[in-house]
Amino acid sequence: RHCVVMDLVDGYPLQNINEVGDPADLYNKLMNLLLKFANHGVIHGDFNEFNIMIDDDSNPIIIDFPQMVSTAHPDAQYFFDRDVTCIRDFFRRRFNYESELAPSFSDVMRVDALDAEVAASGETKQMEKE
């Protein structure tokens, strides 16, 4: 019933990167990904520099999803806000970059039910049927 699918990620953990060409662009890509995941019904739950790889073209690749939760989880907003804060704090510390722009949980507009498809924590049997 369970399997692990792996692929070699041609990139480097964000934690190991000290400079990026355009911190604002990378920051925006990451915040847009956070919101895109939530729009599809899932919150990563551990969205930080240890779970983000950067390829040679400065594109982020997100890894380590086992702790993801549904946007319907009772603590979904807490996890979403924590993921946003992790990225904001990291960019301020590492790249001396701060943006006034960041998504909030109220920006989430469901377009899909990935949480039901993968049975993310907080997804209910009723949601699965719908």
Side-chain angles (χ1 to χ4, degrees), residues 6-33:
M6 297 177 63
D7 196 6
L8 177 63
V9 175
D10 192 16
Y12 304 92
L14 184 56
Q15 169 60 30
N16 295 349
I17 296 175
N18 293 316
E19 288 183 35
V20 293
D22 187 350
D25 182 58
L26 180 57
Y27 174 89
N28 289 332
K29 285 179 183 177
L30 292 171
M31 291 301 178
N32 287 333
L33 276 172

Side-chain angles (χ1 to χ4, degrees), residues 56-95:
D56 290 334
D57 296 321
S58 295
N59 293 312
I61 301 154
I62 312 306
I63 62 171
D64 193 19
F65 283 86
Q67 69 289 326
M68 72 180 163
V69 299
S70 169
T71 53
H73 189 283
D75 295 320
Q77 183 171 351
Y78 165 79
F79 290 118
F80 184 88
D81 292 345
R82 185 177 70 179
D83 283 353
V84 169
T85 299
C86 282
I87 297 304
R88 294 186 86 173
D89 289 350
F90 177 78
F91 270 72
R92 185 176 54 254
R93 282 190 323 267
R94 179 64 52 95
F95 305 123

